[in-house]
């Protein structure tokens, strides 16, 4: 596309692209914007070095003039978008990219790759966070996804409400709090379970978390308290009827005087399993597979569409709305869009309003898009903690039914004006 547009003289036409989803994953009531920080890094660092240019030349992917253009490429346009952690709905212009056609279209894949993955994980994390009802959540999905996606998953999960991660790379790169437990292999390595517990406590202290379901749970809990004392930090249960076992373990710990010892449960948990354990004496949940795969929805199905373009490279040239006119549900809406969230008298969201032109006076101050990149320079970096806090606030302004786990339609409608 870039090569053809360069040859046709249209590559420099001022253009507006938007990333949005036509619908939420089936049954979901809201989406969560995640990956914005990673997206800004990707846009800032997007370039073609000599080795890449050599590859394109050797394979004859594009012609000489296009190679020269790519060798000098740096994104010099503007990006606006929903801030990270915000919620979104069908049609929400989650990201708006403006610049020349060539530079904007070149970013399509990286933008969609980051947003589709990270937002899917954050949405699953948000549902699990709501189901957990304030109990701690540990991200443990690194062994259930691609090694590079694992770090991004931990980051997105933190935005969506998880408290810690077992992925040290995510802790190193993004400052997410890290925790971990021992595996069954550690117990099996030793001659007896007691030897394993003693080795772990001697090395890591009484505040460690001991895995108690390798053999007999009741015997393991008894041994754990005898070895670590009543100040044992936590025990982890990874199998069986978690509701029943958690109650029995809590009773046993209390009888042994370990009233402050926490109970952590793992074992293929998702938001539904977490909700089913609400009545159990559980202090923390460790979630892996279902979180790292979006709990059944590993993508948000976001698309990236040209919605307006000028007749020249002049940014002051009038923009012409353009739209895809496909049959069925794949048509798009033209025009550079704004978005605002209309609230009711109680401060609860009642509609996602999307439009072109001027923002109505009654919606002034409730616009959702913020400036992220101006003239190719990133202007909106923020701590990851800010995105996490923003999500809690945004979810809290939705109707109460937003956190119901039953399947349903988006919790508020999208209105076009």
């Amino acid at each position: 596309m870039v090569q053809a547009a360069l040859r046709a003289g249209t590559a420099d036409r001022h253009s507006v692209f938007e990333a949005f989803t036509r619908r939420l994953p089936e049954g979901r009531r809201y989406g969560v914007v995640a990956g914005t920080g990673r997206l800004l890094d990707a846009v800032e660092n997007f370039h073609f070095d000599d080795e890449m240019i050599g590859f394109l030349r050797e394979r004859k992917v594009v012609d000489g003039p296009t190679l020269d253009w790519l060798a000098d490429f740096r994104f010099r346009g503007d990006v606006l978008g929903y801030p990270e952690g915000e919620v979104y709905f069908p049609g929400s212009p989650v990201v708006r990219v403006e610049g020349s056609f060539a530079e904007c279209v070149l970013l399509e894949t990286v933008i969609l790759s980051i947003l589709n993955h990270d937002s899917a994980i954050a949405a699953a994390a948000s549902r699990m966070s709501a189901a957990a009802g304030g109990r701690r959540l540990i991200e443990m999905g690194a062994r259930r996804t691609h090694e590079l996606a694992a770090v991004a998953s931990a980051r997105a999960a933190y935005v969506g409400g998880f408290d810690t991660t077992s992925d040290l790379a995510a802790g190193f790169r993004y400052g997410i709090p890290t925790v971990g437990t021992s595996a069954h292999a550690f117990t099996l390595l030793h001659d007896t379970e007691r030897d394993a517990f003693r080795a772990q406590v001697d090395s890591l202290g009484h505040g460690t978390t001991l895995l108690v379901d390798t053999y007999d749970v009741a015997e393991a809990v008894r041994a754990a308290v005898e070895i670590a004392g009543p100040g044992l930090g936590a025990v982890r249960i990874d199998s069986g009827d978690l509701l029943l076992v958690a109650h029995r373990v809590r009773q046993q710990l209390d009888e042994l005087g370990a009233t402050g010892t926490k109970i952590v449960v793992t074992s293929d948990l998702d938001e539904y399993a977490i909700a089913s354990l609400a009545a159990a004496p559980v202090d923390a949940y460790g979630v892996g597979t279902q979180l790292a795969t979006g709990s059944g929805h590993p993508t948000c199905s976001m698309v990236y569409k040209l919605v307006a373009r000028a007749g020249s490279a002049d940014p002051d040239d009038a923009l012409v709305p353009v739209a895809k006119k496909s049959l069925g549900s794949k048509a798009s809406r033209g025009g550079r869009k704004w978005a605002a969230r209309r609230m009711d008298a109680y401060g609860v969201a009642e509609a996602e309003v999307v439009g072109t032109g001027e923002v109505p006076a009654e919606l002034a101050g409730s616009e959702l898009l913020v400036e992220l990149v101006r003239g190719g320079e990133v202007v909106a970096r923020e701590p990851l903690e800010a995105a996490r806090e923003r999500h809690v606030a945004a979810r809290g302004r939705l109707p109460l039914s937003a956190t119901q786990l039953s399947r349903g339609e988006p919790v508020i409608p999208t209105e076009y004006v």
Side-chain angles (χ1 to χ4, degrees):
M1 286 191 288
V2 171
Q3 175 177 308
L6 287 170
R7 182 171 297 186
T10 54
D12 290 332
R13 286 187 174 185
H14 187 65
S15 300
V16 181
F17 283 79
E18 291 173 354
F20 61 94
T21 184
R22 296 184 176 93
R23 65 190 67 83
L24 297 179
E26 184 180 359
R28 295 288 172 89
R29 296 169 185 263
Y30 62 93
V32 181
V33 178
T36 307
R38 295 205 310 120
L39 182 101
L40 296 180
D41 291 340
V43 169
E44 186 175 58
N45 296 319
F46 199 107
H47 70 283
F48 295 82
D49 60 24
D50 291 343
E51 186 176 8
M52 296 172 186
I53 295 295
F55 167 81
L56 296 174
R57 179 179 291 109
E58 178 187 344
R59 300 293 180 92
K60 295 181 173 57
V61 176
V62 291
D63 61 18
T66 307
L67 290 173
D68 293 340
W69 186 89
L70 292 174
D72 187 49
F73 176 80
R74 290 292 189 281
F75 180 73
R76 296 177 175 88
D78 302 328
V79 180
L80 289 85
Y82 282 38
E84 190 159 22
E86 183 57 83
V87 296
Y88 70 87
F89 298 91
S92 298
V94 173
V95 169
R96 192 173 82 203
V97 183
E98 297 196 35
S100 73
F101 172 83
E103 64 179 339
C104 292
V105 79
L106 206 58
L107 297 178
E108 176 175 359
T109 298
V110 69
I111 287 174
L112 290 180
S113 176
I114 291 172
L115 287 179
N116 270 314
H117 175 268
D118 289 26
S119 296
I121 304 305
S126 178
R127 287 164 58 83
M128 293 174 189
S129 173
R135 293 173 176 176
R136 295 183 67 78
L137 289 162
I138 308 165
E139 186 280 318
M140 304 174 71
R143 293 173 293 174
R144 298 294 188 263
T145 188
H146 188 279
E147 69 271 18
L148 300 181
V151 180
S153 294
R155 183 187 183 281
Y158 190 66
V159 170
F162 271 59
D163 300 285
T164 55
T165 179
S166 63
D167 192 315
L168 290 174
F172 172 76
R173 189 172 303 176
Y174 298 117
I176 302 170
T178 58
V179 299
T181 72
S182 60
H184 294 289
F186 183 78
T187 300
L188 296 170
L189 167 70
H190 293 80
D191 295 335
T192 69
E193 190 171 50
R194 285 176 172 270
D195 289 342
F197 288 173
R198 191 171 293 108
Q200 186 173 334
V201 171
D202 287 348
S203 176
L204 299 174
H206 293 211
T208 192
T209 299
L210 297 177
L211 179 60
V212 295
D213 72 328
T214 305
Y215 304 116
D216 179 86
V217 173
E219 178 57 34
V221 170
R222 186 177 303 107
V225 176
E226 289 178 4
I227 291 167
L232 173 63
V235 295
R236 176 164 74 100
I237 307 166
D238 187 52
S239 60
D241 183 336
L242 296 178
L243 178 63
L244 175 63
V245 176
H247 276 288
R248 289 177 174 174
V249 168
R250 181 73 271 161
Q251 180 180 356
Q252 186 179 9
L253 287 170
D254 292 345
E255 290 173 350
L256 294 171
T259 56
T261 298
K262 307 296 185 184
I263 296 176
V264 180
V265 295
T266 54
S267 187
D268 290 326
L269 300 177
D270 61 10
E271 59 266 48
Y272 302 103
I274 290 170
S276 73
L277 292 168
V282 172
D283 300 285
Y285 305 94
V287 190
T289 303
Q290 292 301 319
L291 177 64
T293 56
S295 194
H297 296 290
T299 180
C300 303
S301 298
M302 286 192 191
V303 295
Y304 184 81
K305 298 299 179 184
L306 179 67
V307 297
R309 57 89 175 164
S312 72
D314 185 354
D316 295 324
D317 197 358
L319 288 170
V320 179
V322 295
K324 183 179 178 182
K325 300 298 184 183
S326 302
L327 296 175
S329 62
K330 298 190 73 173
S332 59
R333 293 175 180 267
R336 176 203 276 148
K337 299 176 193 66
W338 50 262
R341 191 159 297 143
R342 191 172 69 239
M343 315 299 282
D344 66 15
Y346 299 97
V348 177
E350 63 178 12
E352 189 89 338
V353 185
V354 178
T356 58
E358 295 296 321
V359 179
E362 63 270 20
L363 293 174
S366 62
E367 297 94 333
L368 291 162
L369 277 74
V370 299
E371 196 174 31
L372 302 174
V373 178
R374 182 194 311 130
E377 299 294 327
V378 175
V379 296
R381 293 200 189 282
E382 63 180 6
L384 190 58
E385 196 67 38
R388 174 181 168 83
E389 293 172 358
R390 180 180 295 114
H391 176 61
V392 172
R395 190 178 66 188
R397 290 189 289 268
L398 296 178
L400 289 175
S401 58
T403 56
Q404 290 180 337
L405 295 182
S406 58
R407 292 182 178 275
E409 297 299 313
V411 71
I412 60 173
T414 301
E415 298 177 0
Y416 294 96
V417 298

